[in-house]
């Protein structure tokens, strides 16, 4: 499994309070496979949820743990697309 650390396109210095998890269906469950997580401040929760929905994933909002992550940080567990 690949793990990539990237960021969303916005620039924000807000305090991260939410982890917006992104799931794809697996074994008949909508939340079957955790594919990625976006760490955001309150102002960007809906932005992150919309981003995951736009990618065909099911978002779930969880409380973020304390840490030094900045708003917009992403952890992506999906395999990167194959290069042509």
């Amino acid at each position: 499994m690949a793990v990539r650390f990237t960021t969303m396109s916005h620039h924000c210095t807000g305090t991260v309070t939410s982890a917006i998890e992104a799931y794809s269906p697996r074994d008949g469950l909508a939340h079957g496979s955790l594919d990625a997580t976006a760490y955001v401040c309150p102002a960007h929760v809906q932005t992150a949820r919309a981003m995951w929905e736009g990618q065909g994933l099911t978002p779930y909002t969880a409380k973020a743990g304390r840490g030094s992550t900045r708003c917009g940080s992403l952890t992506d567990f999906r395999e990167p697309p194959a290069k042509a």
Side-chain angles (χ1 to χ4, degrees):
M1 168 177 35
V3 178
R4 291 176 288 140
F5 301 99
T6 61
T7 58
M8 294 171 67
S9 61
H10 72 273
H11 298 284
C12 177
T13 59
T15 301
V16 170
T17 58
S18 298
I20 312 303
E21 299 171 344
Y23 291 85
S24 61
R26 183 186 224 174
D27 300 328
L29 301 171
H31 290 87
S33 176
L34 175 61
D35 293 331
T37 304
Y39 301 92
V40 294
C41 72
H44 289 103
V45 168
Q46 285 308 118
T47 302
R49 290 182 62 84
M51 175 183 69
W52 295 140
E53 288 170 343
Q55 294 179 30
L57 300 168
T58 300
Y60 175 79
T61 303
K63 183 176 180 180
R66 293 184 183 194
S68 59
T69 302
R70 78 167 189 83
C71 181
S73 293
L74 299 175
T75 303
D76 195 330
F77 307 107
R78 298 173 287 181
E79 291 297 324
K83 294 183 180 181

